[in-house]
Amino acid sequence: MPNQSEELIVSYIEAGQPIKALELLVPSINVNAIASDGDTLLHKAVNAGYADVATRLLTYGADFHIKNAKGLAPLSKDFTSAETIHAIRQAYHRDTPIPLSGVTNNPAVHGVVEKMSREGIVKVEGLLHGAQLQQIQKDISQLVRKLKLGKLTGRSKYIHYDQREYWQKNHRSYVFNDPLRVSSALIDFCETPFITEAADTYLGKKSHIKRVMGMRYLPSQVSLDKQQFGWHHDMEDRQFKVMVLLTDIGPEDQYMAYIPGTHLIRHGYEHFLTNKITYEDCNITPANATEVHTTGKAGDCYFFDSNGMHRGTRSNGKMRDALFIEYTTDKNWKNIWGTDMDETMKQKIKNGSGNLLKEYIAVRPKWERAKERTERKLPTWAESLNEPELWV
């Protein structure tokens, strides 16, 4: 039975006073207290649609498996709507405080994470350098040469974004979703301690790699405003993404633009069914929006939260080579892209001290799974809503 404080929390929730309920929610509260009608505090918060109250309960360890008198768990679609679960998941990942201690004592990492927490993006100069940079540049150029040959024979034609690699004629870009298979140096870079410590700290728990991709953008005079060249977010919860510049990028070249602070926005369920967003969606105007342009030298990196408003740009400036590495705590294996790397390289990962790529090499590559997939009605993030153990 709930004590007096827990009964007050129930009464505040039922009376439509979530702020007062939050004031009473402290770690000493029994977050799994069951009211007289069989509902837990989490049931009450979810039923009322109070995402902040539900998030606080989950943060303090509320058990989302407990069923009420009707046999329903609080985060199940039988108890509430997908829209409500989505709102709670957004609140949980957007507003859960980031612990700066316990993961690393590196002050430089703390500085990076603090700036990402405020702005959503931070530049780290020269993180990739020397022989490692040169080898990765060489490996990516080798991939592009193969795609060029495939373009001549029609084998590299773009069909869908989750192909292993392709030439996107309309975008004048080469895209490779499995650069790890040709680059042992890139495998090592993915587990650079500075990056992994920053990712783990920003995400609040041990992360793993979900996707590694690369792009070569050729100069283009055609201005595009759709797909990655229009303002968008990545339809993810809190995700730590690294962009690695492999070529020098100046202000006249093809940089990514990012609007600082927009990573904190909780996008609604319907807005998560498409990644396109506008200034109005983010409560800003072009006049008051400050853009970060991801220019720099080859080897510079940008760490960013891909929930923020961002887009690629096109120009007749220099060719751009860039890599993107996505770190996440999401336990949904369907979100992991996988790789076709040979067994020798897989063994290198298995024998390594890090665990960030061990799930990555264990799944069937996404492009192989896509061949067998029937038409999907909902994106992967929506499919996992009803499985909170994957995202709490």
Side-chain angles (χ1 to χ4, degrees), residues 46-222:
V46 172
N47 187 55
Y50 295 145
D52 292 320
V53 177
T55 289
R56 184 77 60 84
L57 289 165
L58 291 170
T59 301
Y60 290 159
D63 187 348
F64 50 80
H65 294 102
I66 296 175
K67 296 180 179 180
N68 62 8
K70 297 180 180 178
L72 302 176
L75 294 178
S76 68
K77 290 181 182 177
D78 292 328
F79 179 76
T80 190
S81 67
E83 289 82 355
T84 297
I85 300 175
H86 168 76
I88 292 168
R89 185 163 76 173
Q90 278 281 284
Y92 181 79
H93 285 282
R94 290 288 119 213
D95 292 351
T96 300
I98 298 172
L100 288 177
S101 60
V103 177
T104 178
N105 294 317
N106 187 332
V109 171
H110 286 187
V112 164
V113 173
E114 286 175 336
K115 186 168 184 179
M116 276 194 67
S117 300
R118 293 191 311 270
E119 302 181 16
I121 188 167
V122 61
K123 183 179 183 179
V124 183
E125 295 182 354
L127 190 57
L128 177 61
H129 58 273
Q132 191 177 47
L133 169 61
Q134 294 171 12
Q135 185 60 54
I136 293 174
Q137 288 171 323
K138 181 180 177 181
D139 295 337
I140 296 307
S141 293
Q142 179 187 3
L143 263 180
V144 172
R145 283 195 295 272
K146 290 180 178 178
L147 276 176
K148 285 181 177 178
L149 289 173
K151 183 173 69 171
L152 294 174
T153 60
R155 290 184 290 107
S156 298
K157 183 179 179 182
Y158 170 77
I159 300 173
H160 197 260
Y161 82 103
D162 56 8
Q163 292 168 235
R164 188 176 72 173
E165 53 205 19
Y166 52 85
W167 158 251
Q168 173 61 294
K169 181 179 178 180
N170 293 339
H171 296 173
R172 287 180 54 75
S173 63
Y174 295 97
V175 178
F176 16 95
N177 284 312
D178 193 15
L180 287 182
R181 71 185 173 91
V182 300
S183 184
S184 179
L186 180 54
I187 292 173
D188 291 335
F189 181 73
C190 285
E191 297 198 334
T192 299
F194 187 89
I195 300 175
T196 61
E197 289 175 14
D200 291 353
T201 305
Y202 185 73
L203 297 172
K205 59 182 74 170
K206 193 67 180 174
S207 65
H208 61 88
I209 291 173
K210 187 187 88 175
R211 185 184 187 189
V212 182
M213 68 171 297
M215 289 182 169
R216 170 170 288 184
Y217 289 160
L218 300 181
S220 175
Q221 293 178 314
V222 178

Side-chain angles (χ1 to χ4, degrees), residues 249-262:
I249 301 297
E252 304 301 320
D253 300 324
Q254 302 178 97
Y255 51 79
M256 181 188 78
Y258 189 99
I259 309 293
T262 55

Side-chain angles (χ1 to χ4, degrees), residues 279-293:
Y279 289 105
E280 184 178 12
D281 295 326
C282 297
N283 299 314
I284 55 178
T285 66
N288 65 17
T290 300
E291 294 186 16
V292 170
H293 294 169

Side-chain angles (χ1 to χ4, degrees), residues 4-15:
Q4 185 176 10
S5 294
E6 292 147 9
E7 287 178 347
L8 273 174
I9 292 171
V10 170
S11 65
Y12 284 141
I13 292 173
E14 292 180 339

Side-chain angles (χ1 to χ4, degrees), residues 23-39:
E23 290 173 351
L24 291 176
L25 273 174
V26 294
S28 59
I29 287 290
N30 176 13
V31 291
N32 293 317
I34 299 175
S36 58
D37 60 2
D39 280 352

